[in-house]
C-alpha cells in the first residue's frame, strides 16, 4: 500500500509555504513572491517552477541547495505542524485498519521529500503505521509513475516479493496519483479530500473513489475488493 501524504493523510499547507519561503530566501537572497501550487507535483518540480515564476534562472546547484534548505526550514517548524495543520478525517483509523490486513505493508508515494514526509506524519502519530524505507519521495527526480516502480523495486529487494499491478495499491487525492498508478502499474483508490473531484479521479484512472477516509471499513473494503480483483486478473 502506497499512501499519498498531503491532502490524503494530512494538511499542513501553512507550514509548508513558510518553509518554502525561508528556503527560497536562503538560496536566492530574495523574498518569495509566488509559490507554485502543488497539484500533486513533487517538490523537485515545484522548486524549478517556483524559481522560474519568480524570475530566477535555475542553475545546476539550485535543486540540491533548495531541497537541503527546505528540509532544514521544515524541521525548524515541525513544532507548528499539529497546531496549524490538521490530520485528514479518518486518516489514523484507516491506516490502523489497513495495517491489520494480512500481508499488507504500508509506505508512501509522495511529492514531499522524505525528511519532511516523516515530520508530517510523525506530528500526528501516523508514522508508526508506515515503513518509510520503502517509499518514493519528492527529491527523487522521476515522474510519479516511475517513482512508483522505484518503490516497488525497493519493496522487492527488502521483502523478497515481486510487486506488480497485481499486489500494489496507491491511495491518493490527486489526478496525478491516479495517472501514476495507471501508468506505473498499481490499483488506485482515489480520495476526494483534496483538490480533485471524484469525477476527475475516475476519469484519471482511479479504480475506486471514496469521498474521504472517514469510514475505515470502507477503506478496508476498497483495498480488499481491489486486491481480490487484481488477484483474479493475475490468474
Amino acid at each position: 500500500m502506497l499512501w499519498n501524504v498531503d491532502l490524503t493523510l494530512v494538511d499542513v499547507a501553512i507550514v509548508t509555504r513558510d518553509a518554502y519561503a525561508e528556503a527560497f530566501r536562503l538560496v536566492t537572497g530574495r523574498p518569495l513572491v509566488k509559490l507554485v501550487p502543488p497539484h500533486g507535483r513533487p517538490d523537485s518540480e515545484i522548486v524549478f517552477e517556483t524559481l522560474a515564476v519568480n524570475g530566477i534562472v535555475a542553475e545546476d546547484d539550485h535543486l540540491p541547495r533548495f531541497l537541503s534548505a527546505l528540509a532544514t526550514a521544515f524541521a525548524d517548524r515541525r513544532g507548528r505542524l499539529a497546531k496549524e495543520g490538521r490530520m485528514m478525517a479518518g486518516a489514523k483509523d484507516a491506516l490502523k485498519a489497513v495495517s491489520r490486513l494480512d500481508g499488507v505493508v504500508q509506505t508512501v508515494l509522495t511529492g514531499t521529500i522524505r525528511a519532511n514526509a516523516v515530520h508530517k506524519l510523525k506530528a500526528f502519530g501516523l508514522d508508526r503505521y508506515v515503513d518509510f524505507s520503502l517509499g518514493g519521495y519528492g527529491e527523487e527526480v522521476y515522474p510519479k509513475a516511475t517513482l512508483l516502480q522505484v518503490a516497488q523495486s525497493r519493496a522487492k529487494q527488502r521483502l523478497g516479493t515481486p510487486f506488480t499491478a497485481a499486489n500494489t495499491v496507491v491511495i491518493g487525492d490527486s489526478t496525478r496519483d491516479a495517472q501514476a498508478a495507471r501508468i506505473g502499474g498499481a490499483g488506485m483508490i482515489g480520495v476526494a479530500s483534496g483538490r480533485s473531484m471524484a469525477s476527475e479521479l475516475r476519469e484519471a484512472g482511479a479504480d475506486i473513489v471514496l469521498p474521504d477516509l472517514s469510514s475505515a471499513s470502507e477503506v478496508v473494503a476498497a483495498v480488499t475488493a481491489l486486491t481480490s480483483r487484481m488477484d483474479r486478473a493475475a490468474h
Side-chain angles (χ1 to χ4, degrees):
M1 294 290 304
L2 295 136
W3 292 82
N4 180 58
V5 174
D6 291 299
L7 298 183
T8 301
L9 295 173
V10 300
D11 178 6
V12 291
I14 294 173
V15 179
T16 298
R17 180 181 172 80
D18 283 355
Y20 259 99
E22 175 68 6
F24 186 91
R25 184 188 65 78
L26 288 172
V27 172
T28 68
R30 291 166 45 177
L32 177 66
V33 176
K34 182 177 181 181
L35 177 63
V36 172
H39 295 322
R41 296 180 178 92
D43 280 334
S44 56
E45 187 176 335
I46 293 171
V47 168
F48 282 125
E49 292 192 19
T50 295
L51 289 170
V53 300
N54 286 276
I56 304 293
V57 177
E59 299 178 359
D60 290 344
D61 67 340
H62 265 132
L63 181 60
R65 287 174 58 210
F66 202 116
L67 293 181
S68 176
L70 181 61
T72 299
F74 200 87
D76 289 344
R77 291 161 174 78
R78 64 186 181 274
R80 294 169 48 192
L81 291 171
K83 298 175 184 176
E84 300 178 32
R86 63 185 174 118
M87 179 169 57
M88 303 303 285
K92 181 173 287 187
D93 287 342
L95 280 164
K96 186 186 299 185
V98 172
S99 73
R100 296 191 184 111
L101 293 174
D102 288 341
V104 169
V105 177
Q106 298 186 100
T107 187
V108 295
L109 181 69
T110 176
T112 300
I113 61 175
R114 177 171 172 171
N116 293 358
V118 173
H119 288 311
K120 289 177 182 182
L121 297 191
K122 190 171 184 179
F124 298 93
L126 304 181
D127 57 309
R128 71 191 69 177
Y129 303 107
V130 174
D131 186 338
F132 290 102
S133 69
L134 304 179
Y137 300 95
E139 66 263 45
E140 301 174 278
V141 189
Y142 298 113
K144 210 163 191 180
T146 303
L147 194 56
L148 165 60
Q149 295 171 337
V150 169
Q152 287 173 318
S153 177
R154 285 176 178 148
K156 178 183 178 181
Q157 291 175 6
R158 255 277 308 278
L159 304 174
T161 300
F163 287 89
T164 66
N167 59 358
T168 305
V169 177
V170 172
I171 300 184
D173 66 273
S174 76
T175 55
R176 286 201 174 199
D177 296 324
Q179 292 161 356
R182 187 184 70 242
I183 296 169
M188 170 65 189
I189 299 172
V191 185
S193 56
R195 296 183 179 88
S196 297
M197 295 185 296
S199 59
E200 293 173 323
L201 291 167
R202 291 190 188 95
E203 185 176 348
D207 298 289
I208 297 172
V209 178
L210 302 175
D212 52 35
L213 300 174
S214 59
S215 173
S217 61
E218 286 187 3
V219 176
V220 169
V223 173
T224 302
L226 190 54
T227 52
S228 297
R229 187 177 70 185
M230 290 188 292
D231 284 343
R232 289 195 298 270
H235 290 87

